[in-house]
Amino acid sequence: MPDDTNEAAGEPDSVVDAVFDAVAATAPAIRDALPGRRVESDDENPSGETVLAGDMYADELLGEALTAVDGVGAYVSEERPDATDAGEGYSVAVDPLDGSSNLRSNNAMGTVVGVYEGSLPATGHDLVAAGYTLLGPITTMVVADESGVREEVVTRAASGDVTRTVVDDDLTLPDEPTVYGFGGRVPDWTDAFREYAREVEDELKLRYGGSMVGDVNQVVTYGGVFAYPALTDAPDGKLRLSFEANPIAYVIERMGGASSDGTGSILDVDPDGLHDRVPLYVGNETLIDRLETALDE
Ligand code: AHM
Ligand code: MG
């Protein structure tokens, strides 16, 4: 634990705040860079996926900004095979540009952030805070820590100064679920998940845009369920535990919702490697309970 945190005194953690300051400060610069970076790079990420120039640029900017924060000991990115050492302190895991395939079609995307105590890989119980930015029509940032979940609007003045304005200081999941979004191709879903999905389709409205941050933010706003499920040819699904699933599970659980890998909370999953994948189901508790029952039958 870095010395300059105030967590022991029950005060907001100053390192966590500095981390989200850095993430917020980077968001307008990432947005600026997108128009010229819709093309594929020649690289693959450690998960074997083709990387867009936008992914690489976002990773560079976030890497620079976060390793410069006092109290951050490691920068760990979906786009880098190993952690980048930054001294003593928290490990900050990021998916620099989640939903980057939405860049060509000009739809929502953002950055996912998990602040872990100690080194990675670790379980989600080592998270001290997590959140995401959403580059939609406006730039927002959702930040969760021990004290709760907040939504902020991120703006940049002509001077270049970036401001975080809290617009909701106590985000909780709406009691009445309204929307659902499920990833992967229907023919690749398991029979048990397909059956669950048919029930959910009768009850809720489909909202799926192909970026986890955008689709999860629909659930955060309206209540419901988001999943990137286990697929018949990919039993661990697509999303990565350290960079995507854990931070999102942490946010949803802090809002009073639930997360699952199909059998229990995402935060309980013990990874072998930094880039492990996991099926992700998050949303209102009743819907996640029903999902676990459906997958167990
Ligand atoms: P990315 O981080 O490379 O963009 O991949 C993750 C994205 C998620 O945002 C989204 O939920 C999922 O992949 C969509 O996958 P697909 O394109 O297979 O539907
Ligand atoms: Mg992603």
Side-chain angles (χ1 to χ4, degrees), residues 49 78 95 97-100 208 210-212 226 228 238-240 244:
E49 297 159 341
E78 186 177 295
D95 178 358
L97 204 50
D98 176 63
S100 54
Y208 191 75
S211 83
M212 183 188 66
F226 168 82
Y228 201 105
K238 176 181 183 193
L239 301 176
R240 277 124 302 208
E244 294 165 316

Side-chain angles (χ1 to χ4, degrees), residues 56 104 119 121 158-159 171 181 204 226 260 283:
M56 293 175 70
R104 277 182 68 193
S119 57
S159 64
L171 267 187
L204 306 178
F226 168 82
S260 180

Side-chain angles (χ1 to χ4, degrees), residues 17-291:
D17 207 42
V19 164
F20 283 97
D21 272 348
V23 171
T26 309
I30 292 176
R31 188 190 273 280
D32 285 349
L34 297 180
R37 289 186 169 79
R38 298 169 85 176
V39 289
E40 288 177 359
S41 70
D42 293 331
D43 289 352
E44 281 189 354
N45 70 14
S47 301
E49 297 159 341
T50 304
V51 170
L52 285 156
D55 292 300
M56 293 175 70
Y57 187 67
D59 175 53
E60 249 171 62
L61 285 187
L62 286 159
E64 267 171 40
L66 289 167
T67 52
V69 173
D70 265 354
V72 168
Y75 171 75
V76 198
S77 163
E78 186 177 295
E79 309 301 347
R80 301 186 186 193
D82 304 304
T84 302
D85 184 43
E88 286 292 304
Y90 293 140
S91 296
V92 181
V94 306
D95 178 358
L97 204 50
D98 176 63
S100 54
S101 66
N102 274 0
L103 195 45
R104 277 182 68 193
S105 58
N106 188 23
N107 280 286
M109 65 196 73
T111 296
V112 190
V113 185
V115 185
Y116 294 81
E117 197 160 9
S119 57
L120 293 177
T123 75
H125 292 293
D126 283 359
L127 283 166
V128 296
Y132 57 87
T133 64
L134 182 56
L135 304 177
I138 50 178
T139 303
T140 54
M141 186 162 75
V142 168
V143 180
D145 60 19
E146 278 306 315
S147 69
V149 188
R150 297 168 296 284
E151 185 183 28
E152 304 175 5
V153 169
V154 176
T155 49
R156 183 181 50 191
S159 64
D161 291 348
V162 173
T163 305
R164 299 167 56 183
T165 307
V166 176
V167 289
D168 189 334
D169 66 0
D170 185 21
L171 267 187
T172 52
L173 215 54
D175 290 336
E176 281 297 314
T178 307
V179 299
Y180 75 96
F182 298 152
R185 294 170 64 240
V186 178
D188 298 332
W189 291 352
T190 63
D191 291 343
F193 183 74
R194 200 176 301 132
E195 213 165 293
Y196 170 76
R198 291 284 100 94
E199 280 180 30
V200 170
E201 280 166 9
D202 279 341
E203 299 165 23
L204 306 178
K205 281 194 291 192
L206 170 63
R207 288 288 172 89
Y208 191 75
S211 83
M212 183 188 66
V213 280
D215 294 323
V216 163
N217 207 55
Q218 296 269 6
V219 172
V220 162
T221 309
Y222 300 113
V225 54
F226 168 82
Y228 201 105
L231 304 177
T232 49
D233 59 345
D236 293 330
K238 176 181 183 193
L239 301 176
R240 277 124 302 208
L241 179 71
S242 302
F243 311 105
E244 294 165 316
N246 266 338
I248 292 302
Y250 182 94
V251 170
I252 296 287
E253 291 198 15
R254 286 292 176 282
M255 290 182 68
S259 77
S260 180
D261 67 346
T263 57
S265 168
I266 286 284
L267 304 181
D268 290 335
V269 176
D270 207 353
D272 294 323
L274 216 47
H275 295 272
D276 279 13
R277 298 176 195 265
V278 71
L280 173 68
Y281 311 87
V282 285
N284 286 75
E285 204 168 342
T286 49
L287 288 159
I288 300 302
D289 285 349
R290 279 170 56 191
L291 176 269

